[in-house]
């Protein structure tokens, strides 16, 4: 302000003399004053704003070391004035019923924005941005979005013969197997495949009835989030759990590896991809693909009432309000979701096309 007052007073006579050489009209003083104002403002922006910022950005450590002492002196000298004006402004804000202090809490949305800015600037790769986003999604994603569903569970029973156990071990390369008493909902525990393989190598009898190597299995409700599941895995020192619904029926199996695959996303490749991009405008999607994964793949902001379902098949059933049939379709967010394969009333595959 002082620079503007004194600068304009000093420069206006010179501009007055200069402009009077070409113009002698009634607006001579106004034009001289405007020219002085523009000159002072331009010099202030250049030397008090742009150049200091450029210097600080090009050599931040050196500039910081040089200005820290003067800044501390200024802070000490003007501390009473700052305290006084802060008190006055806080009092005025309270009288107006407005908050005097803003919240400095950092939210997940703030971090998402920072990560997105870093990706756009080239500091982060898109895959790294996806991993960071997936980590925050663990707080909202339920275990049902990452588990192996009931019909896909491979389990052993206490009644299985040695030949049946050998066949199951040969056909499925799982590290752990759920053990049940005749039916899947009567769980007896789980076994490590390596314990069974050691007995086979040592030519020992292979049976599960009364076997001491059957371990207690961790059971969790299907309302648990993936973040809460990780906490239980850590506390129990387990990496294998059975998911139960409110009727105590088994709805799925989930492992630590399933959670890690959810976090890593496309960086780790499973045996089967749930979302396959055919071209720029079409995708083949497994019916059990979690809605969150579909949102990431198709860049869809949200699905309607997504608290009522976890998978893209659930989305179709919710929107159609019936058991879907072949060629049934739903349009949402500029995409057409069409049922192309059904297996025993279960939506096995969807064809998703971008609506032009």
């Amino acid at each position: 302000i002082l620079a503007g007052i004194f600068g304009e007073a000093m420069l206006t006579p010179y501009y007055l003399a200069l402009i009077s050489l070409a113009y002698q009209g009634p607006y001579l003083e106004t034009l001289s004053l405007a020219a002085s104002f523009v000159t002072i403002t331009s010099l202030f922006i250049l030397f008090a704003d742009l150049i200091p910022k450029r210097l600080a950005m090009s050599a931040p450590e050196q500039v910081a070391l040089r200005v820290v002492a003067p800044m501390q002196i200024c802070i000490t000298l003007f501390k009473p004035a700052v305290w006084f004006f802060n008190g006055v402004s806080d009092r005025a804000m309270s009288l107006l019923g407005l908050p005097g202090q803003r919240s400095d809490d950092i939210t997940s949305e703030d971090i998402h924005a920072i990560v997105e800015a870093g990706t756009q600037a080239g500091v982060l790769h898109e895959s790294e941005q996806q991993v960071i986003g997936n980590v925050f999604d663990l707080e909202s994603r339920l275990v049902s979005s990452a588990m192996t569903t009931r019909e896909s569970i491979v389990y052993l029973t206490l009644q299985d013969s040695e030949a049946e156990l050998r066949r199951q071990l040969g056909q499925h390369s799982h590290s752990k197997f759920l053990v049940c008493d005749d039916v899947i909902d009567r769980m007896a525990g789980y076994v490590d495949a390596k314990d069974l393989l050691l007995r086979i190598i040592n030519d020992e009898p292979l049976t599960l009835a009364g076997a001491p190597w059957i371990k207690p299995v961790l059971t969790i409700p299907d309302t648990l989030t993936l973040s809460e599941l990780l906490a239980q895995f850590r506390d129990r020192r387990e990496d294998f759990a059975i998911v139960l619904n409110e009727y105590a029926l088994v709805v799925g199996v989930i492992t630590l590896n399933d959670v890690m695959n959810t976090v890593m996303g496309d960086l780790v490749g499973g045996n089967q991809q749930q979302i396959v991009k055919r071209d720029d405008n079409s995708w083949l999607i497994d019916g059990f693909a979690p809605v969150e994964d579909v949102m990431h793949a198709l860049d869809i902001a949200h699905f309607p009432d997504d608290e009522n379902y976890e998978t893209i098949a659930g989305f179709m059933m919710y929107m159609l309000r019936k058991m879907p049939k072949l060629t049934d379709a739903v349009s949402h967010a500029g995409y057409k979701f069409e049922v192309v394969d059904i297996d025993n009333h279960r939506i096995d595959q969807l064809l998703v096309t971008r609506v032009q």
Side-chain angles (χ1 to χ4, degrees):
I1 296 174
L2 292 176
I5 294 174
F6 289 107
E8 290 179 14
M10 293 176 61
L11 292 179
T12 299
Y14 294 100
Y15 276 114
L16 186 64
L18 181 63
I19 297 174
S20 64
L21 297 177
Y23 176 76
Q24 294 290 338
Y27 299 106
L28 179 60
E29 291 187 4
T30 303
L31 292 175
S32 302
L33 185 63
S36 302
F37 172 77
V38 171
T39 302
I40 293 299
T41 303
S42 301
L43 292 174
F44 181 82
I45 293 173
L46 183 63
F47 290 101
D49 186 39
L50 296 180
I51 291 180
K53 286 182 178 178
R54 292 286 182 86
L55 289 174
M57 292 172 64
S58 61
E61 292 83 4
Q62 293 88 335
V63 172
L65 289 174
R66 289 179 179 274
V67 303
V68 64
M71 289 297 296
Q72 287 179 335
I73 294 174
C74 290
I75 290 173
T76 303
L77 290 176
F78 295 106
K79 189 173 183 179
V82 172
W83 174 83
F84 172 76
F85 286 110
N86 277 340
V88 172
S89 62
D90 290 342
R91 182 60 178 169
M93 295 293 285
S94 64
L95 292 175
L96 294 174
L98 300 174
Q101 301 290 335
R102 74 178 183 90
S103 175
D104 290 328
D105 295 337
I106 298 177
T107 64
S108 58
E109 288 77 13
D110 297 330
I111 298 177
H112 275 298
I114 295 172
V115 171
E116 184 175 357
T119 304
Q120 293 175 354
V123 178
L124 295 173
H125 295 290
E126 290 186 4
S127 57
E128 294 172 329
Q129 179 190 11
Q130 180 186 0
V131 170
I132 295 172
N134 290 341
V135 170
F136 285 102
D137 287 343
L138 295 180
E139 293 286 345
S140 58
R141 291 185 65 163
L142 300 179
V143 292
S144 53
S145 68
M147 69 182 184
T148 299
T149 54
R150 179 187 178 101
E151 59 269 20
S152 301
I153 297 176
V154 177
Y155 65 95
L156 310 176
T157 69
L158 298 176
Q159 292 76 25
D160 285 342
S161 64
E162 182 170 345
E164 177 63 17
L165 293 175
R166 287 174 177 267
R167 188 185 67 82
Q168 292 277 38
L169 288 172
Q171 287 185 351
H172 306 285
S173 58
H174 300 312
S175 61
K176 293 180 174 62
F177 288 89
L178 175 66
V179 179
C180 303
D181 184 5
D182 193 33
V183 294
I184 191 172
D185 293 312
R186 292 209 296 263
M187 298 165 292
Y190 76 93
V191 293
D192 284 309
K194 63 180 181 180
D195 293 333
L196 301 180
L197 292 173
L198 282 174
R199 297 189 65 82
I200 294 175
I201 293 172
N202 295 329
D203 290 327
E204 298 177 5
L206 192 60
T207 180
L208 294 178
W213 52 83
I214 297 180
K215 303 174 183 177
V217 65
L218 173 64
T219 57
I220 60 171
D222 58 359
T223 55
L224 218 60
T225 65
L226 292 177
S227 177
E228 293 170 329
L229 172 64
L230 282 177
Q232 291 213 22
F233 277 159
R234 182 193 61 217
D235 296 339
R236 296 282 297 272
R237 298 185 179 277
E238 291 282 357
D239 59 1
F240 180 86
I242 302 300
V243 184
L244 305 179
N245 63 11
E246 59 182 315
Y247 303 106
L249 300 177
V250 174
V251 295
V253 168
I254 191 166
T255 67
L256 181 60
N257 189 54
D258 294 328
V259 182
M260 291 302 100
N261 286 341
T262 300
V263 172
M264 300 306 293
D266 295 336
L267 294 183
V268 292
N271 295 329
Q272 294 182 342
Q273 284 185 286
Q274 289 186 313
I275 302 175
V276 178
K277 186 175 183 179
R278 301 172 68 228
D279 52 49
D280 290 341
N281 295 309
S282 65
W283 295 259
L284 285 174
I285 301 181
D286 188 281
F288 281 150
V291 170
E292 290 85 355
D293 292 347
V294 178
M295 291 170 61
H296 287 307
L298 304 184
D299 194 22
I300 296 177
H302 72 282
F303 278 87
D305 303 325
D306 55 1
E307 69 276 2
N308 294 303
Y309 47 85
E310 290 290 332
T311 65
I312 195 65
F315 161 72
M316 295 295 293
M317 295 173 66
Y318 181 80
M319 297 298 293
L320 292 170
R321 315 304 292 180
K322 67 174 184 176
M323 294 304 298
K325 299 179 181 179
L326 287 176
T327 71
D328 282 348
V330 170
S331 295
H332 173 66
Y335 294 92
K336 179 183 178 183
F337 298 80
E338 182 180 356
V339 179
V340 294
D341 190 14
I342 292 180
D343 182 14
N344 193 24
H345 300 292
R346 181 178 72 86
I347 299 177
D348 193 46
Q349 203 167 60
L350 294 169
L351 174 63
V352 181
T353 54
R354 196 191 308 270
V355 180
Q356 299 295 334

